[in-house]
Amino acid sequence: MLMENKLAQDFKFFSLIKFSLPTMIMVLFASLYTTVDGMFVARYVNTSALSAINIVWPIFGTLFAISSMFASGGSALVAKKMGEQKNDEAKANFSLIVISSVVFGIIFSAFCLIFLEPVIYKLGANDIVYKYCSDYISPILMLSPFCILQMIFHSFFIAAGKPKTGLFVSLIGGTCNIIFDYIFIVVFEMGITGAAYATVLGFIIQSSFGILYFTFKKKGTLFFVKPIFDLYVIFKSCYNGAAEFIGNFAVSITTFLFNIEIMKYSGVDGVAAITIVFYSEFILTAVFYGYASGVAPVFSYNHGSKNYCRLKNIFKISMTFVTVTSVLMYLLSIPASSYVINIFASEDSHVFSLALKGFFLFAISFIFMGTNIFAASLFTAFSNGKVAAILMMLRTFVFLSSAILILPLIFKVDGIWLAVPAAEFLSIILSVFCFIKYRKVYNYL
């Protein structure tokens, strides 16, 4: 029974990378089709519409914060119980976590829809971009359960030892999203509303597959059973996933701050430029998020089974992979930047020049970012939501918000672009400190 789950295997360097590879590709592809949304909007609508997507991103980001909290926190709890051989309990918890995540998402979406106009204006929209903002975010909020479920199922495919299935579902959903982008925006000329419906249809396809799989695949390690209401399980999932919630919610707050600050110096073109750089970041850092998500259930399972020898091995492999990849990511991002930015804006445009200059400063963050992403994910996997949340809170909110507000006073617009590298540098010091402090608690060193 122990070896029935692929999380229990004795991983070596390449076998661990191979196990995590589907998740890395899945996250990369998800980032890619999100970026394709932006490309179609920038090319076939206008850069004001692209700016609108960034303005309402805090709403979208909060939905992701809720889903990632239950996805990462819940999958860590379930994987740990599978490692303890509490398989029936793991299935019941899984079923409850899925239902709870949807309920939380519906409550948030209903609130946003009721107060949509004041919320959009509070996020920094003006009369020029308000309609773009409303047209984009409304369909996503109305169909938010599918947005929640697609992320939940991605994490639980990994916890069930089926990362390749999660990859397949992501590829199908992402490909359909891109096709619908072309049909709705280019063929039917639906503008930014078409981009929203294309995104939602991609979510519907992925979440529908997950519902069918976990309902009818009764011979797998994880499937739906009758849920047993347990407030502690819901609380523990939220607690475990607090870091991911804080991280995604903080991105919503800091995106708002970025928009406000860059609007002062560069107007709507500046918002469009920073949106392009954020899209570039999605693609280039997908490997970090994918690896951290892919390997997290392995840590959880071996923590539950108290296999400290394997914990030490997978931690060593992970740090080697993350460190080497971080340096390579920075070195490759510089020559690739102009090509990526040119996807969204023509080389002779003001937006292109703003984005290119900003990217050279922003890219420094890639050197530190991988380790920080892995650190928060590691402590979530160990069900230490407190440490993971502190790491994420300081990295994505305290350090970054402070940098956004302080550095422009010294370096003007360059200070905005340097905010992320400054925050990541401070965060890696904290991450290394936590690695050392808790090494004997979890026996990974």
Side-chain angles (χ1 to χ4, degrees):
M1 289 297 295
L2 181 64
M3 292 308 295
E4 209 171 58
N5 195 313
K6 292 184 179 179
L7 301 177
Q9 64 183 288
D10 187 13
F11 287 101
K12 306 301 180 186
F13 183 87
F14 288 108
S15 61
L16 185 60
I17 302 304
K18 182 180 178 181
F19 180 84
S20 303
L21 188 60
T23 311
M24 286 189 275
I25 297 173
M26 180 175 67
V27 176
L28 176 61
F29 200 79
S31 302
L32 184 60
Y33 74 70
T34 300
T35 303
V36 170
D37 276 354
M39 182 199 74
F40 273 103
V41 169
R43 288 290 186 179
Y44 296 100
V45 187
N46 53 52
T47 52
S48 293
L50 183 64
S51 300
I53 294 177
N54 201 37
I55 288 170
V56 296
W57 183 258
I59 300 175
F60 206 178
T62 303
L63 268 178
F64 272 110
I66 294 169
S67 55
S68 63
M69 174 179 67
F70 281 101
S72 59
S75 62
L77 178 67
V78 170
K80 183 173 182 288
K81 288 191 176 180
M82 288 193 294
E84 295 168 345
Q85 300 303 300
K86 299 176 181 177
N87 295 317
D88 291 339
E89 193 175 335
K91 294 182 183 74
N93 291 168
F94 159 65
S95 304
L96 177 63
I97 289 163
V98 171
I99 294 171
S100 301
S101 66
V102 172
V103 171
F104 274 69
I106 289 173
I107 293 171
F108 170 76
S109 298
F111 173 84
C112 289
L113 284 169
I114 292 169
F115 301 102
L116 189 61
E117 183 175 344
V119 167
I120 290 175
Y121 276 114
K122 285 291 184 182
L123 290 174
N126 54 29
D127 293 337
I128 297 173
V129 298
Y130 171 79
K131 190 175 188 310
Y132 289 129
C133 293
S134 177
D135 288 347
Y136 182 76
I137 201 63
S138 294
I140 292 171
L141 287 171
M142 287 187 287
L143 296 167
S144 62
F146 298 104
C147 171
I148 298 282
L149 286 173
Q150 62 91 26
M151 181 172 286
I152 290 286
F153 289 142
H154 285 172
S155 289
F156 280 106
F157 276 129
I158 303 167
K162 298 291 182 180
K164 290 182 181 178
T165 304
L167 171 60
F168 171 77
V169 174
S170 181
L171 290 176
I172 295 297
T175 301
C176 290
N177 186 344
I178 294 170
I179 293 171
F180 288 134
D181 268 328
Y182 178 78
I183 293 172
F184 293 157
I185 299 175
V186 181
V187 178
F188 293 156
E189 298 182 348
M190 292 173 63
I192 197 170
T193 304
Y197 279 113
T199 297
V200 170
L201 282 171
F203 291 156
I204 290 173
I205 290 168
Q206 294 175 72
S207 56
S208 297
F209 188 97
I211 292 170
L212 293 172
Y213 181 90
F214 288 112
T215 300
F216 297 107
K217 190 73 171 179
K218 298 295 186 181
K219 292 183 180 180
T221 56
L222 202 60
F223 50 83
F224 286 128
V225 296
K226 183 178 179 180
I228 300 171
F229 182 76
D230 187 337
L231 195 59
Y232 176 77
V233 170
I234 298 173
F235 169 78
K236 189 65 176 176
S237 297
C238 295
Y239 179 79
N240 286 351
E244 279 65 28
F245 177 84
I246 290 170
N248 282 279
F249 186 71
V251 168
S252 300
I253 301 299
T254 53
T255 297
F256 167 72
L257 293 176
F258 270 121
N259 291 338
I260 295 299
E261 285 297 313
I262 204 161
M263 188 78 81
K264 295 178 185 177
Y265 294 95
S266 306
V268 174
D269 281 354
V271 176
I274 207 164
T275 304
I276 292 170
V277 172
F278 286 159
Y279 275 130
S280 304
E281 181 194 8
F282 290 160
I283 296 174
L284 293 171
T285 60
V287 63
F288 299 137
Y289 286 104
Y291 180 80
S293 297
V295 80
V298 181
F299 278 104
S300 298
Y301 188 95
N302 285 286
H303 174 52
S305 61
K306 301 187 186 303
N307 196 326
Y308 301 127
C309 182
R310 286 182 183 170
L311 277 178
K312 288 181 171 65
N313 186 46
I314 57 177
F315 179 80
K316 181 180 179 181
I317 293 171
S318 296
M319 287 305 300
T320 301
F321 176 79
V322 167
T323 302
V324 172
T325 305
S326 296
V327 175
L328 289 176
M329 194 67 67
Y330 172 70
L331 295 176
L332 292 173
S333 68
I334 300 302
S337 58
S338 60
Y339 298 102
V340 174
I341 295 168
N342 190 227
I343 294 172
F344 301 89
S346 58
E347 292 186 20
D348 59 349
S349 68
H350 186 223
V351 171
F352 181 92
S353 61
L354 286 172
L356 186 62
K357 181 183 178 183
F359 189 89
F360 288 147
L361 299 174
F362 184 93
I364 300 169
S365 63
F366 297 142
I367 300 172
F368 316 113
M369 198 176 289
T371 300
N372 294 328
I373 292 169
F374 172 70
S377 178
L378 176 70
F379 289 105
T380 297
F382 288 142
S383 295
N384 192 332
K386 181 180 178 180
V387 173
I390 291 172
L391 285 172
M392 194 63 79
M393 169 67 82
L394 291 173
R395 172 183 167 239
T396 59
F397 185 70
V398 177
F399 294 155
L400 185 53
S401 297
S402 300
I404 294 170
L405 296 174
I406 294 171
L407 293 182
L409 299 176
I410 304 170
F411 303 107
K412 299 190 182 301
V413 71
D414 287 349
I416 299 173
W417 298 110
L418 286 169
V420 173
E424 295 293 342
F425 175 75
L426 293 173
S427 297
I428 200 170
I429 297 172
L430 186 62
S431 295
V432 172
F433 171 79
C434 288
F435 285 152
I436 296 170
K437 180 177 179 180
Y438 291 96
R439 69 190 188 280
K440 293 182 179 179
V441 176
Y442 299 109
N443 296 288
Y444 51 79
L445 271 179

